[in-house]
Amino acid sequence: MLDSGTIERFEKISTPFYYYDMDLLRRTVDTVAELSARHNLRVHYAVKANADSRILGYISSKGFGADCVSGNEVLHAYECGFPADKIVYAGVGKSDKEIHDAMKLGIEAFNCESLQEIFVINEMAREYDMVANVSVRINPDIDAHTHKYVTTGLYENKFGISQHEFDKLIELLDKSRNINFIGLHFHIGSQITRVAEVFALECERVNEIVSYFEQNGLKVKNINLGGGLGVDYDDPDGNPIPDFETWFSTIDRKIARRPDQAVHVEPGRSMVAQCGTLISRVVFVKSGETKNFLILDAGMNDLIRPALYGAYHRIENLSAQMRPFFGSHQAYDIVGPVCESSDVWGAGRLLPLSVRGDLMAIRSTGAYGQVMASRYNMKDLAPAVFSDRLDDAPRNNDYFKII
Ligand code: LLP
């Protein structure tokens, strides 16, 4: 919930921008630190959710590791303070250069997603006279009950190695001299809301798979269960910090581990979504034939989630909250400026009567927001503005006050 002092200060800042509530980020990260220690889990933050340097700097300062999915993420995480031996690197299509750079950096592990990748990493390590740590990502064929675009653990998905290749995999790992097999990796999907049920199921399947590998002579030192904890997009103020306790305690209870086995998790969205808000302005109000449009200066180029997944984000009119009389409400189709019909923030949203220049908040946008932005239509990228550095934000030029 944004206070009136902050909203007043927003008036002076050029829109659109991503506002990060650093106090909420700290409270969220500190909660993860405390609960992961209590449940004896190692955390690798999924950099893909938000790769802002300040945010990464704070997360790395808490001693967490990083989960990366590209060579650039690996190098950036390292520059932002994550030690190389706490960086793991997943992804189905690592290029030779990306593998080379990560190997030279001495990362904790490559999370390999195909037999061919393991073969190539072994060959490259041999060429450099090195031994590379490898975890193998397994596709456990479990339904995460989430959006199909963020479901990753079914056989129809491209991720991980499936059961029919287990025996070939064990044979390959056995004979690959320049690879040190350290564990198994899983990630079944994102924005999981049936937390206890889905993660309990994942743990049961993981226990079976780990046993199979160990029975076949491979010591599984690390069990990495990936990320996926969902956040409350409907009520970000009611649930600013996601339910890490249910997630972690389910894993702690259900995973079968020996004292010398480490269990890892890779939260992304749950650590950063609620601290971010995309702040925009109404540029025009237009009455269509059958509906009223609020046209904002932020569009799908700034946040692609609604256009790509039909994702819901709560939208609030901040300026209307500041007016002495709230006035009546009206249904609006809230849209962006981009030349695509899918550039819609929300259809038929009930908002206080809104006018040109009103500041709008698009909530829960700290994860998969700024990182997925593009310059489509040659728009500028929305910058990051931090709650504890509001005075450093780019100033606007009072356009909306003149008219
Ligand atoms: N680990 C791996 C291997 C992953 O692929 C992901 C996310 C995570 C961890 C972190 O998952 P999280 O805790 O954030 O659910 N762009 C989509 C989400 C894509 C997630 C990709 N993988 C969205 O905006 O909803």
Side-chain angles (χ1 to χ4, degrees):
M1 183 77 169
L2 291 162
D3 59 88
S4 51
T6 306
I7 298 172
E8 261 164 31
R9 294 173 81 185
F10 283 173
E11 288 291 349
K12 305 218 162 47
I13 303 174
S14 304
T15 51
F17 61 90
Y18 275 95
Y19 172 74
Y20 293 111
D21 177 343
M22 296 306 272
D23 179 55
L24 179 56
L25 174 74
R26 286 188 192 104
R27 285 189 287 126
T28 309
V29 172
D30 293 356
T31 302
V32 176
E34 190 199 318
L35 294 178
S36 59
R38 186 184 304 162
H39 293 289
N40 195 14
L41 300 173
R42 284 204 214 148
V43 175
H44 286 75
Y45 165 67
V47 171
K48 67 176 81 63
N50 188 312
D52 177 85
S53 306
R54 268 199 89 197
I55 292 178
L56 291 191
Y58 186 70
I59 295 175
S60 65
S61 76
K62 290 283 154 179
F64 296 132
D67 155 49
C68 299
V69 283
S70 73
N72 285 345
E73 277 193 4
V74 169
L75 298 177
H76 183 58
Y78 181 69
E79 280 160 13
C80 291
F82 291 95
D85 63 4
K86 283 190 180 169
I87 296 176
V88 295
Y89 179 13
V92 294
K94 302 173 184 80
S95 72
D96 287 10
K97 178 173 185 315
E98 289 177 312
I99 293 171
H100 168 270
D101 291 351
M103 213 178 267
K104 290 284 168 176
L105 200 63
I107 60 166
E108 177 179 351
F110 288 92
N111 290 337
C112 294
E113 308 224 14
S114 63
L115 298 185
Q116 196 160 39
E117 182 188 337
I118 296 171
F119 180 81
V120 167
I121 289 181
N122 184 59
E123 286 303 297
M124 286 176 71
R126 189 161 58 83
E127 201 177 303
Y128 309 138
D129 201 18
M130 293 175 75
V131 175
N133 285 338
V134 159
S135 248
V136 178
R137 179 163 177 183
I138 301 294
N139 185 326
D141 198 31
I142 288 179
D143 191 350
H145 295 285
T146 182
H147 193 284
K148 77 174 165 64
Y149 285 2
V150 294
T151 293
T152 49
L154 288 174
Y155 282 158
E156 67 197 57
N157 304 126
K158 67 181 173 182
F159 301 98
I161 296 176
S162 316
Q163 193 166 353
H164 77 282
E165 288 196 307
F166 282 2
D167 293 340
K168 267 197 249 162
L169 169 64
I170 290 165
E171 198 183 311
L172 176 65
L173 289 169
D174 230 22
K175 66 174 192 223
S176 301
R177 294 278 148 258
N178 293 76
I179 271 178
N180 178 31
F181 170 78
I182 61 166
L184 296 177
H185 176 225
F186 304 82
H187 170 76
I188 58 172
S190 200
Q191 185 53 19
I192 294 169
T193 49
R194 288 154 67 167
V195 181
E197 175 196 340
V198 168
F199 287 104
L201 210 69
E202 183 188 15
C203 287
E204 278 166 26
R205 183 88 180 104
V206 167
N207 291 341
E208 285 167 19
I209 296 171
V210 170
S211 300
Y212 185 81
F213 276 77
E214 295 228 317
Q215 278 157 19
N216 281 279
L218 284 170
K219 199 163 164 40
V220 180
K221 232 174 74 193
N222 296 337
I223 305 169
N224 183 339
L225 296 169
L229 176 64
V231 307
D232 192 341
Y233 283 101
D234 295 315
D235 187 10
D237 292 325
N239 291 303
I241 300 181
D243 190 0
F244 292 102
E245 176 55 26
T246 299
W247 186 27
F248 291 170
S249 63
T250 303
I251 292 174
D252 197 4
R253 247 192 347 267
K254 293 280 178 186
I255 203 85
R257 59 173 145 178
R258 295 187 310 264
D260 64 339
Q261 259 170 340
V263 178
H264 294 210
V265 285
E266 299 176 330
R269 183 192 320 265
S270 51
M271 283 175 74
V272 291
Q274 300 294 33
C275 76
T277 305
L278 178 57
I279 305 292
S280 174
R281 277 181 193 277
V282 176
V283 260
F284 298 117
V285 184
K286 172 160 106 170
S287 63
E289 193 63 34
T290 55
K291 39 174 78 164
N292 295 305
F293 292 103
L294 282 186
I295 304 165
L296 309 192
D297 60 5
M300 64 192 283
N301 58 301
D302 299 301
L303 177 78
I304 202 171
R305 302 192 71 257
L308 190 58
Y309 315 117
Y312 174 87
H313 287 267
R314 207 181 137 76
I315 299 173
E316 293 160 4
N317 184 327
L318 301 178
S319 304
Q321 286 173 29
M322 305 282 284
R323 290 197 264 273
F325 300 105
F326 229 64
S328 54
H329 280 62
Q330 194 167 320
Y332 293 103
D333 273 21
I334 309 169
V335 301
V338 172
C339 297
E340 298 273 347
S341 291
S342 58
D343 188 22
V344 175
W345 292 113
R349 298 278 184 103
L350 208 59
L351 283 180
L353 221 52
S354 303
V355 296
R356 171 170 160 82
D358 277 355
L359 282 167
M360 307 291 286
I362 303 166
R363 303 290 309 272
S364 315
T365 47
Y368 306 112
Q370 224 184 336
V371 279
M372 293 178 81
S374 79
R375 293 211 49 209
Y376 185 40
N377 285 190
M378 289 190 78
K379 292 278 187 186
D380 292 328
L381 290 175
V385 169
F386 301 99
S387 55
D388 55 350
R389 291 192 187 163
L390 271 174
D391 291 333
D392 298 348
R395 296 292 154 133
N396 69 15
N397 44 16
D398 285 342
Y399 275 145
F400 288 98
K401 292 209 178 110
I402 299 165
I403 300 162

